[in-house]
Amino acid sequence: MFEKLQSDIHYAFNDAGLLATAMTHSSWANEQQEHVEHNERLEFLGDAVLELCVSEELFARFPGAREGDLTRMRARLVSKPALAELARDLQLELYLRLGRGEESQGGRERSSLLSDALEAMLGAVFLDGGYERARHVVRHVLAARWPSDADGKRSKDYKSRLQELTQGLFRERPVYVLMGSSGPEHEKRFEVRLTLPDDTVFTAIGPSVKRAEQMAAGLALKKLESRSEG
Amino acid sequence: MFEKLQSDIHYAFNDAGLLATAMTHSSWANEQQEHVEHNERLEFLGDAVLELCVSEELFARFPGAREGDLTRMRARLVSKPALAELARDLQLELYLRLGRGEESQGGRERSSLLSDALEAMLGAVFLDGGYERARHVVRHVLAARWPSDADGKRSKDYKSRLQELTQGLFRERPVYVLMGSSGPEHEKRFEVRLTLPDDTVFTAIGPSVKRAEQMAAGLALKKLESRSEG
């Protein structure tokens, strides 16, 4: 059942019945003689699954982004229109089980119904396979939709942006030096000093060398950008 | 660092620096000479961690609850005032790092600041130990706050409620009979017939015997309750 859909989302269900429930609209369930489950409970769960998977991915992709930028990017990715578009890419309308009334009123094409089914499907993957599997599905189905460098420009990693900017301004690269580390093994902190070609110096302390470099680059960028604005 | 807090939440950090960041308000970070991370990015992540952990728990605790009931219970559990209360129970105000201005204006007692720190702390657990560990922390810190039978009365499991009701009405128990199963091994469906002491019959089909019984009990309850209202 639903072989193509399972292959499209790169996930094979242990209990494909969960996927069937995710595709079952309440209007269909209400028309049956027996009590059949519909997708509203799964949608409740899937909504939260999607939110965390997207949050985790954005958090990792944009190490320099502030909370406000991350929140804005997340809101765009999980908006109802965006989800309905994803649902249409996966052709969820082919799998939906709808009641007669809903069907005759064109429910199969309705965005809200499609985005609900998509969320329910993610809830089903989560129940069936756990968080990590749901995360893989989300990463895969959203693969073409993660914010690009252009969208996330202000959020692009600081070191790359600083390098472009200093090359442009000075025809030279910034220099990072590890000054030392402190603290016990399990909570070590690293201090990095960044020197720009004009000898301006920035210092940052972080939980890893990479992170401290990013933070120092962020400080330098802020300074250079405020100069070029002034 | 933060030994008592780690013991209170039943989680020992691999990198306790993450917990320190969770307790760092932007006002403190902004006063430092070096770039120091504050807790806003972790709060972004933790908000979504909390949402999924609470959703999963409610989904499992109230198998008979509808989406609307679950959403209402979740909203109450993750509301800012509820989170601030939790944060006070954990005495997060003792750990917060605040800037001088914020401190002098009583920021340490401000609910919004405390609930943000709690969310950031959950984001830190998630980054440090993964989803399952974060879920354990949430279950533990919310242990006394999950909706009780009284709060979730309409959502309490259907079989128990039906049994109480039929005992009260007929001095007898409902009878469940497994009628059969269908479908291939990995998506088997079970049909259960429920007979009330007055010989009314209800049938349900579900992904497990337990679930089919719950669904049949739900149908019977609806019928009995509508009778007693009429």
Side-chain angles (χ1 to χ4, degrees):
Chain A
M1 188 162 56
F2 304 130
E3 271 82 10
K4 176 160 187 321
L5 180 54
Q6 297 189 60
S7 134
D8 284 347
I9 64 173
H10 287 204
Y11 181 72
F13 274 83
N14 297 305
D15 177 4
L18 277 169
L19 183 52
T21 300
M23 294 302 131
T24 303
H25 189 253
S26 57
S27 63
W28 192 87
N30 292 338
E31 280 178 4
Q32 306 310 303
Q33 297 296 325
E34 313 91 20
H35 184 93
V36 175
E37 272 197 281
H38 54 71
N39 65 8
E40 289 183 5
R41 281 173 50 91
L42 286 176
E43 183 209 334
F44 163 84
L45 195 58
D47 172 80
V49 170
L50 177 68
E51 186 99 353
L52 181 54
C53 293
V54 167
S55 300
E56 183 179 6
E57 186 72 15
L58 290 175
F59 188 94
R61 278 183 181 244
F62 299 100
R66 304 200 51 170
E67 188 200 12
D69 293 323
L70 294 171
T71 303
R72 199 166 25 75
M73 290 190 269
R74 180 174 66 191
R76 201 154 47 200
L77 286 167
V78 306
S79 73
K80 294 292 171 184
L83 295 185
E85 206 180 299
L86 272 186
R88 289 197 175 91
D89 286 355
L90 293 168
Q91 298 188 287
L92 293 194
E93 69 275 10
L94 301 180
Y95 307 102
L96 277 181
R97 297 200 286 193
L98 288 185
R100 280 182 295 269
E102 197 60 53
E103 186 79 78
S104 70
Q105 288 160 46
R108 199 169 287 278
E109 296 301 323
R110 253 218 331 279
S111 293
S112 63
L113 233 137
L114 289 166
S115 63
D116 289 352
L118 181 75
E119 291 184 331
M121 184 187 81
L122 294 173
V125 172
F126 174 76
L127 272 189
D128 193 68
Y131 178 73
E132 284 304 320
R133 301 308 307 268
R135 187 171 153 242
H136 282 117
V137 171
V138 169
R139 288 175 67 165
H140 173 67
V141 299
L142 283 171
R145 286 180 168 76
W146 297 109
S148 68
D149 286 355
D151 296 327
K153 186 148 194 273
R154 298 198 46 219
S155 310
K156 196 182 162 185
D157 97 280
Y158 289 145
K159 276 186 76 178
S160 317
R161 283 172 56 203
L162 181 65
Q163 179 149 335
E164 288 167 19
L165 193 59
T166 43
Q167 291 275 18
L169 288 171
F170 309 106
R171 312 266 156 215
E172 273 179 69
R173 295 157 150 260
V175 176
Y176 298 86
V177 179
L178 175 62
M179 303 302 287
S181 62
S182 59
E185 200 50 53
H186 63 291
E187 45 187 284
K188 240 187 184 48
R189 286 297 172 270
F190 301 86
E191 180 173 353
V192 162
R193 187 161 72 180
L194 155 61
T195 310
L196 294 184
D198 67 352
D199 292 332
T200 331
V201 168
F202 302 88
T203 311
I205 296 175
S208 66
V209 175
K210 199 172 146 193
R211 191 90 192 103
E213 289 178 348
Q214 283 290 344
M215 297 193 292
L219 286 176
L221 265 179
K222 213 156 95 181
K223 189 67 163 264
L224 289 178
E225 288 174 346
S226 71
R227 264 191 229 166
S228 64
E229 282 163 14
Chain B
M1 188 162 57
F2 304 131
E3 272 82 11
K4 174 156 189 322
L5 180 54
Q6 298 190 59
S7 133
D8 285 347
I9 63 173
H10 286 205
Y11 181 71
F13 274 82
N14 296 305
D15 177 3
L18 278 169
L19 183 52
T21 300
M23 294 302 131
T24 303
H25 188 253
S26 57
S27 63
W28 191 88
N30 291 337
E31 281 178 3
Q32 306 310 303
Q33 297 295 327
E34 312 91 22
H35 184 94
V36 176
E37 273 197 278
H38 55 69
N39 65 8
E40 290 183 3
R41 280 172 52 91
L42 286 176
E43 183 210 333
F44 164 84
L45 194 59
D47 172 79
V49 170
L50 177 67
E51 185 100 355
L52 180 54
C53 293
V54 167
S55 301
E56 183 179 5
E57 185 71 16
L58 290 174
F59 189 95
R61 278 183 181 244
F62 299 100
R66 304 199 52 168
E67 188 200 13
D69 294 322
L70 295 171
T71 303
R72 201 168 22 77
M73 291 190 269
R74 181 175 66 191
R76 202 156 44 203
L77 286 166
V78 306
S79 74
K80 294 293 171 181
L83 296 186
E85 205 180 297
L86 272 187
R88 289 198 175 90
D89 287 354
L90 293 169
Q91 299 187 286
L92 293 194
E93 69 275 9
L94 300 181
Y95 307 102
L96 277 181
R97 298 199 286 193
L98 289 185
R100 281 182 295 268
E102 197 60 53
E103 185 79 80
S104 69
Q105 288 162 46
R108 199 169 287 278
E109 296 301 323
R110 255 222 326 282
S111 293
S112 62
L113 234 136
L114 289 166
S115 62
D116 289 353
L118 181 75
E119 290 184 331
M121 184 187 82
L122 294 172
V125 173
F126 174 75
L127 272 189
D128 194 69
Y131 178 72
E132 284 305 319
R133 300 309 307 267
R135 188 172 152 240
H136 282 117
V137 171
V138 169
R139 288 176 67 165
H140 173 67
V141 299
L142 283 170
R145 285 179 168 79
W146 297 110
S148 68
D149 286 356
D151 296 328
K153 184 144 196 275
R154 298 198 46 220
S155 309
K156 195 182 163 186
D157 97 279
Y158 289 146
K159 276 187 76 177
S160 318
R161 283 173 55 203
L162 181 65
Q163 179 149 334
E164 287 166 20
L165 193 59
T166 44
Q167 290 276 18
L169 288 171
F170 310 107
R171 312 265 155 217
E172 273 179 69
R173 294 158 150 259
V175 176
Y176 297 86
V177 178
L178 176 61
M179 302 303 285
S181 62
S182 59
E185 200 51 52
H186 63 291
E187 46 187 282
K188 242 189 181 46
R189 286 298 171 272
F190 301 86
E191 180 173 353
V192 161
R193 186 160 73 181
L194 155 63
T195 311
L196 293 183
D198 68 351
D199 292 332
T200 330
V201 168
F202 301 88
T203 311
I205 295 175
S208 67
V209 175
K210 199 172 145 193
R211 191 87 193 103
E213 289 178 349
Q214 283 290 346
M215 296 192 292
L219 286 176
L221 264 179
K222 211 155 98 181
K223 188 67 163 262
L224 288 178
E225 288 174 346
S226 72
R227 263 191 228 166
S228 65
E229 281 164 15

